[in-house]
Amino acid sequence: TDASPTTAKCKVDEGEFATCASPFTSAALSDGAHRIMLKATDRWGYVSEEIELNFTVDTVRPVITLNGAESLALELGDTYIELGARVTDNFDQTLLAMIGGESVDTSIVGTYLVTYDAVDSAGNPALQIIRQVLVVSRGRPISIAGGNITRRFPPHTPTAPGEPKQP
């Protein structure tokens, strides 16, 4: 009885067929479309039909670009309108940014960080983008909690992080 096993041969793209095993590994492949061809020969010498597997290698992160400015200043009580972001990718053409982070509450003075994330179909995450939204009070009375002090602050322009405060 002939006990020789079935042998498998594989080739990647336009390469030559070579003996292979499962799981199949290949040298590093460039990003883009690829093809693996597989055929088997049984112990009696019968060769199977070739099986073709097509796949795409994608190692490139998507890129997020904000619509509008990276930093916004709103007056206390204004309406915050989310401008969103665009996502571009080398293969996926319809990716959408996932918006997260803090909810902007324009009834409360403060700094709010809105985050934008995306992941392509290959699992590559984009670098997170953050929009800073400043809610400020310009020339409106500010009441100090727990006291009877009310002071009117003159209008001013908010400064970016790391810049000196304006008088």
Side-chain angles (χ1 to χ4, degrees):
T1 309
D2 186 359
S4 62
T6 299
T7 58
K9 292 195 175 197
C10 302
K11 75 174 186 174
V12 177
D13 296 329
E14 300 306 317
E16 298 295 321
F17 275 101
T19 302
C20 61
S22 179
F24 175 74
T25 56
S26 176
L29 297 172
S30 62
D31 278 15
H34 294 280
R35 176 180 70 166
I36 293 179
M37 300 292 290
L38 171 70
K39 64 181 177 180
T41 305
D42 68 17
R43 69 181 78 195
W44 297 281
Y46 293 107
V47 179
S48 71
E49 290 184 26
E50 292 180 4
I51 297 172
E52 180 177 335
L53 302 169
N54 295 296
F55 63 98
T56 301
V57 173
D58 178 6
T59 60
V60 177
R61 295 175 182 266
V63 175
I64 300 171
T65 305
L66 290 176
N67 295 327
E70 187 175 311
S71 183
L72 300 174
L74 299 174
E75 181 86 19
L76 190 65
D78 281 352
T79 300
Y80 172 66
I81 298 172
E82 175 53 56
L83 299 174
R86 292 179 313 280
V87 182
T88 55
D89 186 68
N90 57 337
F91 291 106
D92 297 324
Q93 302 304 311
T94 57
L95 292 178
L96 298 175
M98 296 172 282
I99 302 171
E102 301 171 291
S103 295
V104 177
D105 183 348
T106 61
S107 69
I108 300 173
V109 171
T111 301
Y112 300 88
L113 302 178
V114 180
T115 60
Y116 302 82
D117 294 284
V119 177
D120 68 17
S121 61
N124 300 313
L127 295 175
Q128 184 180 71
I129 300 296
I130 299 173
R131 184 188 319 268
Q132 179 179 321
V133 181
L134 304 168
V135 177
V136 297
S137 176
R138 296 183 187 156
R140 293 188 182 182
I142 301 291
S143 295
I144 307 299
N148 56 3
I149 302 170
T150 301
R151 179 173 177 203
R152 184 173 294 277
F153 290 93
H156 68 281
T157 303
T159 57
E163 290 184 8
K165 300 232 185 255
Q166 296 178 354

